[in-house]
Amino acid sequence: MAVSIFPLSAIGAGDIAVIRSQDLDPYNQAFAGFSESCASNVKQYTLGGNGASQQRMAQEISEAKPRLVLAIGLMAAKLAKEYLKDIPTLYIMVSNPKKYGLIGNNIAGITLNIPVEAQFKTYKTLVPGLKSIGVIYDANNSGEIIREAGSVAKKLGVQLVAVSVTSQKEVPEALRSMLGKVDAVWMVPDETVVTTDSFKYFLVTTLEKGVPFFAASDIFVEAGALAALTPDYTDVGRQGCQLATGFTDGQVSLAETGARPPRKINLSLNLKTARKIGLAIPKSVIESAKLVYQ
């Protein structure tokens, strides 16, 4: 179902309660995008304190009877799902919403998950002749995305070498087992796999072997990974405004909306890493990147 842009005046004062999981820059960027696009006076909340204080916050929101809750981040979305069941909820800045039960007739949103096909197509432009990609994952966290990746890889003529782990301790051996068999390593945002220690191991090992390392965040690219694709957080907020306006205007159903991917994606590159592994990145790709670390 396509999203149409509806008149911003459709949202009136007090129609939306905004809950931020934390006062973090990415969440603030998303809210700024929402605010600049939606001419709406909203009531803002930021989670904090203990469970009792959060329940009191939920009670206050429930009594205010907003037409819609905008939940920014996972904690806010889970709070709305648990305590504000009767109020339609639109979430943004959430990864893997299905894993946390953020599905239903009264809840929908925009995920942080970038479509695998968009990722793999970008990686193929970065690494000419890319034929195989290795990935480490926990099936309980990332089974769905790996199944999608398998289908996409086959479609694009790329072999996916996926190694499943159940604990962070298994990650080093899993990485060693695939090096020499793959043209690049892809890190998915998996809670079991992605830790400070494991990232350091990924980085050092792939640099030593001269293997391109595609990470899950531009922070990792700044630290030495070759590249990452990330959502444009401000545009996620704008996209959320379009859905919110459509919903309050009666043109968009949350049940039909489901979980949508971000529409604007930013590429970050580390050219120092590219030089270290002997990879020449096309000028056109460099020019298209949002962030380039020299």
Side-chain angles (χ1 to χ4, degrees), residues 163-283:
V163 179
S164 177
V165 298
T166 58
S167 73
Q168 195 274 329
K169 292 180 180 179
E170 299 172 22
V171 171
E173 177 57 33
L175 181 59
R176 288 193 294 268
S177 73
M178 67 174 58
L179 292 177
K181 303 175 184 177
V182 297
D183 298 326
V185 172
W186 171 44
M187 174 183 277
V188 294
D190 187 298
E191 296 170 7
T192 302
V193 177
V194 183
T195 66
T196 300
D197 289 340
S198 68
F199 169 73
K200 290 178 181 177
Y201 189 80
F202 269 88
L203 181 60
V204 170
T205 306
T206 54
L207 284 174
E208 286 179 350
K209 299 295 184 180
V211 176
F213 172 29
F214 304 125
S217 166
D218 52 18
I219 294 174
F220 294 150
V221 176
E222 184 177 11
L226 175 65
L229 289 171
T230 55
D232 185 300
Y233 301 135
T234 302
D235 192 69
V236 166
R238 297 188 188 109
Q239 189 178 354
C241 171
Q242 289 190 4
L243 287 176
T245 306
F247 171 77
T248 58
D249 201 36
Q251 302 296 320
V252 170
S253 162
L254 293 185
E256 295 177 356
T257 297
R260 298 193 175 185
R263 64 187 178 186
K264 185 176 180 181
I265 301 167
N266 293 331
L267 171 66
S268 55
L269 295 172
N270 190 312
L271 297 186
K272 182 178 180 180
T273 295
R275 290 191 293 271
K276 282 184 178 180
I277 64 175
L279 180 65
I281 298 176
K283 182 179 178 181

Side-chain angles (χ1 to χ4, degrees), residues 44-64:
Q44 298 182 51
Y45 302 84
T46 300
L47 290 184
N50 55 28
S53 66
Q54 292 179 8
Q55 289 183 41
R56 287 193 295 271
M57 177 190 297
Q59 182 64 30
E60 178 183 335
I61 295 171
S62 179
E63 291 173 356

